[in-house]
Amino acid sequence: MNIYIVAGSLAAILALAGIAWFLRLGRDSRIEGPEAAADAADSALPGFTTLNAVVGADGHGALAVTDDGRVAAIKRHGARLAVREVTWDAIRATSAGMLVETGDKRFGSVMIANVDSLDIRRLAPRLTKV
């Protein structure tokens, strides 16, 4: 009888591991790169066509910008990327990087680590000329 309990438990553990693998749970929680951030913003926001994107050094936050000045904050939410359109006023520089305060309690803030104002100027050069 005990061998059946052990075998059943092992089968259940393997089944749960297979489901977690299929759902991509426990994978690297980094944003893969600017291309992934741009694709997420383009697909999540209607009429959004990314001109440039930047990902923070830790891979947890990103910004995407269009040629007409729209900006999107991107962060990892489980196995997927969550995207919110924000205004330029919501972005501010800190010592750790650029902080995006979305104003959405459920989405929260996004930190783009080790990105500074110069990186933002490179991201949208036409929009930040003085």
Side-chain angles (χ1 to χ4, degrees):
M1 178 87 170
N2 287 339
I3 191 81
Y4 296 118
I5 293 173
V6 171
S9 297
L10 183 61
I13 290 170
L14 291 175
L16 289 174
I19 291 170
W21 175 80
F22 179 74
L23 295 175
R24 295 182 173 183
L25 299 176
R27 298 232 177 175
D28 189 14
S29 64
R30 295 176 53 89
I31 299 171
E32 291 79 18
E35 297 83 15
D39 290 343
D42 292 348
S43 63
L45 300 172
F48 197 94
T49 304
T50 302
L51 174 67
N52 283 321
V54 64
V55 178
D58 61 359
H60 293 133
L63 285 177
V65 178
T66 64
D67 61 350
D68 63 349
R70 294 170 65 192
V71 62
I74 301 126
K75 71 177 186 178
R76 183 63 76 179
H77 183 70
R80 300 190 175 144
L81 294 178
V83 181
R84 291 291 185 277
E85 188 167 354
V86 296
T87 63
W88 283 103
D89 295 337
I91 304 169
R92 64 183 174 93
T94 67
S95 60
M98 301 304 283
L99 178 65
V100 182
E101 295 172 337
T102 63
D104 184 350
K105 289 182 182 180
R106 293 181 67 202
F107 190 77
S109 298
V110 179
M111 173 60 74
I112 297 90
N114 294 347
V115 173
D116 59 15
S117 300
L118 184 58
D119 295 323
I120 298 301
R121 284 180 165 244
R122 288 185 193 126
L123 186 65
R126 193 183 73 164
L127 302 172
T128 56
K129 286 185 180 177
V130 179

